[in-house]
Amino acid sequence: MSSQNQPCRKELLCRINEVSFAIDDLQLFLDTHPCDQRALDDTHMLVEERKKLLETYAKNFGPLTIDSTADSGSDSWTWATQPWPWEIAEEKGRCQ
Amino acid sequence: MDSNCLNNGRANTCPYRSYYPSGREERWGSGETRRPDQKRRMPSCSMEKPECPELSCRRTEEKQMTENRCGREEKRMAENRCGRESRSKDDSCCMGKSGQERDMEEFALAMGYVPWQSYGRTFELCKGLEVGTIFPELCKPFCGKRGGCR
């Protein structure tokens, strides 16, 4: 993928954090409201979105979770060699 | 008094003794869910006392407990405040009550209640991450003053 089409790493990571947090909060709600259809629908939608986001992230920057290690398409174990998420803020020259 | 009486005496110290099904001890609120619009069947002095055919001493103790709670203690409490008959009248005469306080009148003191949450509007996801919840009704920022925003 060309660098022009590559998504912004920080924005992508930010979106993953937002979606993941919302799923965690919905999980808590569903623990006490297991039959709430609207909450279930929203959770399923966000889980799908999170899967796609993690896949996109893995393809472009390496896997964020162990589940998406195969999505990175790398021959090596990028899980260990890529920058850690908290090291991304130190990278310069990308989206602020 | 035998050991059974002692055990029952301990259970009788709970002001909601009359709420329990007959002959059973259940923890108040265990696993109970209730919507805010559903009124809890609150115990009162006029409610029937639980039946316990096996233990005659229980009835005696309960009677005593009822008398203590609904008779002398309550009267003393009322007299200490405004000298009115009931505590609720007493409170309303001494200080104005907000609607929220009146709504809580039926609830016992020192008991925790968690109203049932309904799934409604949610924050934008970026806002949810920022404030720590996606549910606006659970967004309670601590502002450093008496537990509420000012």
Side-chain angles (χ1 to χ4, degrees):
Chain A
M1 186 182 282
S2 73
S3 62
Q4 282 184 338
N5 292 332
Q6 200 175 40
C8 171
R9 182 177 199 152
K10 286 177 77 174
E11 280 179 10
L12 193 53
L13 190 62
C14 184
R15 183 66 185 171
I16 290 170
N17 284 334
E18 290 167 4
V19 172
S20 300
F21 174 77
I23 292 171
D24 285 343
D25 219 10
L26 281 163
Q27 226 179 309
L28 293 174
F29 182 86
L30 285 168
D31 283 347
T32 52
H33 304 65
C35 301
D36 191 296
Q37 197 54 50
R38 287 182 58 205
L40 281 169
D41 292 346
D42 285 355
T43 305
H44 293 151
M45 184 192 73
L46 288 174
V47 166
E48 278 308 306
E49 183 181 346
R50 184 170 182 272
K51 270 186 201 167
K52 286 175 187 162
L53 288 166
L54 286 175
E55 196 182 314
T56 307
Y57 192 95
K59 277 180 184 163
N60 289 281
F61 309 110
L64 261 187
T65 70
I66 203 71
D67 307 298
S68 51
T69 47
D71 297 328
S72 64
S74 170
D75 296 332
S76 65
W77 187 239
T78 44
W79 172 262
T81 55
Q82 67 180 338
W84 291 101
W86 53 87
E87 292 174 325
I88 294 167
E90 296 166 11
E91 291 183 4
K92 292 177 183 174
R94 306 189 65 96
C95 334
Q96 351 59 38
Chain B
M1 184 182 286
D2 61 25
S3 60
N4 280 334
C5 292
L6 284 172
N7 289 336
N8 290 325
R10 181 167 53 82
N12 283 341
T13 58
C14 175
Y16 301 118
R17 190 69 188 90
S18 57
Y19 179 81
Y20 300 143
S22 57
R24 291 177 59 200
E25 288 182 22
E26 290 187 355
R27 283 201 311 166
W28 172 264
S30 57
E32 182 183 359
T33 55
R34 187 178 63 87
R35 293 174 182 281
D37 54 344
Q38 291 176 328
K39 298 292 183 188
R40 186 195 294 280
R41 187 167 65 96
M42 291 300 285
S44 68
C45 306
S46 61
M47 287 182 73
E48 282 186 21
K49 291 188 284 290
E51 287 296 320
C52 183
E54 298 87 3
L55 303 168
S56 58
C57 60
R58 169 182 281 188
R59 278 200 287 272
T60 311
E61 283 199 4
E62 279 172 355
K63 189 179 177 191
Q64 189 180 352
M65 181 61 64
T66 305
E67 283 172 356
N68 285 343
R69 293 195 58 77
C70 305
R72 290 192 290 276
E73 284 185 11
E74 203 160 282
K75 190 177 175 187
R76 186 168 64 242
M77 179 174 66
E79 284 173 355
N80 283 345
R81 295 174 71 91
C82 286
R84 300 294 174 98
E85 282 181 14
S86 74
R87 191 177 168 192
S88 58
K89 283 180 187 173
D90 153 30
D91 280 350
S92 59
C93 82
C94 291
M95 57 197 86
K97 282 191 170 185
S98 69
Q100 193 178 12
E101 285 171 327
R102 279 193 297 275
D103 289 344
M104 296 297 290
E105 271 182 346
E106 65 173 291
F107 292 91
L109 287 175
M111 302 293 283
Y113 301 93
V114 181
W116 192 249
Q117 185 185 0
S118 300
Y119 195 77
R121 188 176 69 87
T122 53
F123 283 136
E124 290 292 318
L125 299 193
C126 56
K127 168 97 173 170
L129 181 62
E130 189 185 329
V131 301
T133 177
I134 61 166
F135 302 107
E137 62 270 29
L138 295 181
C139 181
K140 309 280 186 194
F142 176 68
C143 300
K145 277 190 177 181
R146 298 176 186 175
C149 284
R150 301 225 166 178

